[in-house]
Amino acid sequence: MEVMYRYANGAILGLAALFAPIRSVVLCALTFILVDFVTGVIASRCEAKQRGEKWYFSSHEAWRTIRKAGFVMLTIAMSWLIEYCILDFMMLHLTRIIAGAICGVEMWSFLENASVLSDAKLFEWLRNYVKRKVEREIGEYDTKDEQRTTKP
């Protein structure tokens, strides 16, 4: 039995050593997710209070965030394996690009939460600007016909 513990410990420590170079990238992405989650919960509570509704914490949202964090860690780990173990002859910076995209999405969600939580016009303006830009670029989908219609 002791031999199995040694093999298991060796395997776990080997994996930890393999992924040690991306520890800071993973921690950065997880920090963005955590900040978005906390501000999202606070914004949800604030919106419910403004509407005069009773607010409660949903464990469903917490578990969704935990699943998302797990998938983010796996995505970053897999991109790092591709970048350094398979395509090591190319300088792709794939891991940092993917982590940057993930952090960008989380930052955008944080800005939406910040526009709810604060009276700062900057957050409201940013949210509305991007919404208009996206609607102009990709159009809107009609839910009845499920066909794409563009605004002039």
Side-chain angles (χ1 to χ4, degrees), residues 129-146:
Y129 173 76
V130 172
K131 182 180 177 185
R132 285 191 309 270
K133 189 79 167 166
V134 167
E135 285 176 352
R136 254 187 272 134
E137 292 296 322
I138 64 172
E140 289 186 14
Y141 287 90
D142 185 22
T143 56
K144 290 182 181 175
D145 300 326
E146 294 184 11

Side-chain angles (χ1 to χ4, degrees), residues 30-41 106 110 113:
L30 292 178
T31 300
F32 272 71
I33 291 170
L34 180 66
V35 168
D36 175 48
F37 175 73
V38 170
T39 57
V41 168
E106 295 300 320
F110 164 77
N113 297 333

Side-chain angles (χ1 to χ4, degrees), residues 32-89:
F32 272 71
I33 291 170
L34 180 66
V35 168
D36 175 48
F37 175 73
V38 170
T39 57
V41 168
I42 296 169
S44 170
R45 185 173 186 269
C46 183
E47 286 180 324
K49 188 177 181 180
Q50 287 175 351
R51 290 190 304 260
E53 297 174 354
K54 185 175 181 177
W55 179 84
Y56 61 94
F57 181 77
S58 171
S59 63
H60 172 73
E61 292 300 319
W63 282 112
R64 188 181 67 82
T65 301
I66 291 170
R67 279 192 308 271
K68 178 171 63 170
F71 285 126
V72 163
M73 288 190 300
L74 282 172
T75 302
I76 292 172
M78 290 188 320
S79 68
W80 187 82
L81 287 173
I82 289 171
E83 185 175 357
Y84 284 99
C85 296
I86 297 172
L87 300 176
D88 61 343
F89 58 91

Side-chain angles (χ1 to χ4, degrees), residues 4-17:
M4 287 187 58
Y5 286 131
R6 286 185 184 179
Y7 281 126
N9 285 337
I12 290 169
L13 291 174
L15 282 174

